[in-house]
Amino acid sequence: MSDQAERSRPETARRIETVNPATGEPGRSYQETSLDDALAAAAAARAAFLKWRRTSFAERSAVIHKAAEILRARKDEFARLMTAEMGKTFGEGRAEIEKSAFHCDWFADHAESYLAEEPVDLGNGETFVTFNPIGVVLAVMPWNFPFWQVFRFAAPALMAGNGALLKHASNVPGCALAIEEVLHEAGVPRDLFRTLLLPSREVEPLIKDANVAAVTLTGSVAAGRSVASAAGSVLKKCVLELGGSDAYLILEDANIPAAAKVAATARMVNGGQSCIAGKRFVVVRPILAEFEKALVEAIGAFQIGDPAEEGTKLGPMVSVKARDEIHEQVTASIAKGARLLLGGKVPDRPGAWYPATVLSDVRPGQPAHDEEVFGPVAAIIAAEDEADAIRIANDSEFGLGSGVLTGDLARGRRIAAEELEAGMSFVNENVRSDPRAPFGGVKHSGYGRECSAYGMREFVNIKTVHIKDAATVGGQHRAE
């Protein structure tokens, strides 16, 4: 592990205790980073950035490609670390590491073209736009994709020439330190990227520190408001990827068994603990009963099991507290008229377990309709027709992802492109993030973008440069 696990700390420093969600048993403990140490790390990162920004794209690319190589070589180790700290199934953990490595390779290969100078025609002289790194980016990251979320910001930020500080979720400190270790082993200067096991109460002073240039957060709406307020108070750029209550429209011309499989995959990714998981399935009435039956069958295939074993499709929730909150949303929705089609009962066993659950007759006023349910609970909502389905989908404070399931591709394309209020909309497939396409949301799902050239340019200075021949300054040609 990173040297931070062994770094000396004051005796009064608090410790972070991890818990295995599958068993409830305690795991490793780590000392928190003090605010003084975090501020010192920010100053050191700023100094390291001033050197790193002068490196070539080729030099940075070699380092980030090496990080991808290390990730792949240690894939099983890191997957098991995620399983132990936040309950991700081993199979999904391996896939997450592969995705992180692909992301590193993508930006190592494409950063230079994404940030290439762009010419502008002003009619005289030379004008171009250049993209320069802005400094140290502070990332406040969540637990649900503990490697992917970090590399999603880190690879483009480092390739752009920036420095980076990571404040990860408190329940995945081992993952946070492992990421630091990977990047340092790959050749990222020690001070340029640092993991800070900083408590949330100390994040605001770090945001406001002069050595931090910008902030990126993936987290809850409340966390987004807090970070945005702190960053705004000192006029610093921030990118926010917040919650989601993604709606998928299932129209009367859909292939119902295929649509149910897409919906189940969309809902059950990471045990339902994903901002872009499908959460609301808006079904037109003529096919409602048939779709209910198909979705129960498809989601019923996700049986809970040991997350450390190959082939397990549903592991525990991240914590007993989170599981209990999900169950409260389910029971409150049923009390207000929702119909339970599958699951909905807390297993009698230690750990944070909750079964795959399907609710129908979901309506406004029920938590399953109005709130983000961050677990394996699918909500079926009836719509009268296409227009009503679009209205229901857009009747949400969130706007991250969305989907359309239809046999008419032109219809699906129109609805996805023009009608749904979301940062992403997929037709006949579940929404996912990818380094090649911009990722982000609207409304309370946040602002700014990650991935692709759009995301990479969030944390650079987009500068216009104009050059006029000195011989023509003032409208007069200078004598030779």
Side-chain angles (χ1 to χ4, degrees), residues 103-126:
H103 186 80
C104 288
D105 282 337
W106 182 264
F107 279 96
D109 288 338
H110 293 86
E112 186 170 10
S113 62
Y114 284 165
L115 301 182
E117 292 178 357
E118 293 183 354
V120 178
D121 185 4
L122 294 186
N124 62 84
E126 179 191 9

Side-chain angles (χ1 to χ4, degrees), residues 454-477:
Y454 294 97
M456 192 165 199
R457 291 179 179 181
E458 291 283 5
F459 294 122
V460 295
N461 175 18
I462 304 173
K463 181 195 292 185
T464 299
V465 178
H466 179 68
I467 303 165
K468 188 174 184 179
D469 190 339
T472 63
V473 172
Q476 300 294 322
H477 287 281

Side-chain angles (χ1 to χ4, degrees), residues 199-453:
S200 296
R201 65 181 180 276
E202 305 287 17
V203 171
E204 183 173 344
L206 188 59
I207 292 172
K208 294 181 177 180
D209 184 71
N211 292 301
V212 171
V215 190
T216 181
L217 167 97
T218 298
S220 67
V221 173
R225 289 195 179 102
S226 177
V227 165
S229 295
S233 72
V234 286
L235 300 179
K236 291 182 182 178
K237 174 74 176 286
C238 64
V239 168
L240 304 177
E241 193 265 282
L242 308 178
S245 189
D246 290 11
Y248 283 62
L249 278 57
I250 297 90
L251 303 178
E252 70 281 356
D253 55 7
N255 178 318
I256 293 177
K261 288 181 180 178
V262 170
T265 300
R267 173 64 277 197
M268 299 302 289
V269 62
N270 201 41
Q273 300 170 118
S274 170
C275 296
I276 57 167
K279 300 185 176 82
R280 296 178 297 139
F281 300 96
V282 185
V283 188
V284 294
R285 287 194 183 277
I287 60 168
L288 179 60
E290 190 177 355
F291 181 78
E292 286 178 345
K293 181 179 179 181
L295 186 62
V296 167
E297 182 179 350
I299 284 186
F302 288 80
Q303 294 293 313
I304 59 176
D306 184 349
E309 291 185 358
E310 290 271 14
T312 295
K313 298 187 71 173
L314 179 60
M317 302 297 92
V318 66
S319 67
V320 170
K321 179 176 182 291
R323 187 273 313 279
D324 290 347
E325 289 172 354
I326 293 163
H327 188 56
E328 287 174 9
Q329 290 175 304
V330 169
T331 55
S333 297
I334 294 170
K336 293 183 177 183
R339 184 161 44 96
L340 180 66
L341 303 183
L342 179 72
K345 294 180 175 59
V346 177
D348 183 17
R349 58 188 291 181
W353 298 95
Y354 202 71
T357 297
V358 179
L359 297 173
S360 193
D361 295 345
V362 174
R363 300 184 178 89
Q366 300 170 4
H369 183 283
D370 300 343
E371 302 170 7
E372 179 179 25
V373 181
F374 214 64
V377 181
I380 299 175
I381 303 170
E384 299 306 319
D385 52 24
E386 175 191 302
D388 192 39
I390 293 169
R391 177 193 64 78
I392 292 168
N394 290 336
D395 185 21
S396 171
E397 67 176 298
F398 298 109
L400 190 56
S402 58
V404 186
L405 298 169
T406 174
D408 184 339
L409 297 187
R411 182 188 194 187
R413 189 182 196 282
R414 171 183 56 80
I415 294 170
E418 302 173 13
E419 301 291 346
L420 296 177
E421 298 170 356
M424 296 158 287
S425 193
F426 283 35
V427 178
N428 295 331
E429 198 169 8
N430 59 293
V431 178
R432 61 187 182 276
S433 56
D434 189 289
R436 297 165 289 191
F439 177 85
V442 296
K443 300 194 280 190
H444 285 179
S445 290
Y447 50 75
R449 291 295 179 265
E450 297 178 281
C451 299
S452 78

Side-chain angles (χ1 to χ4, degrees), residues 163-179:
L165 298 173
L166 170 62
K167 186 279 185 240
H168 217 324
S170 60
N171 60 328
V172 289
C175 293
L177 293 171
I179 291 165

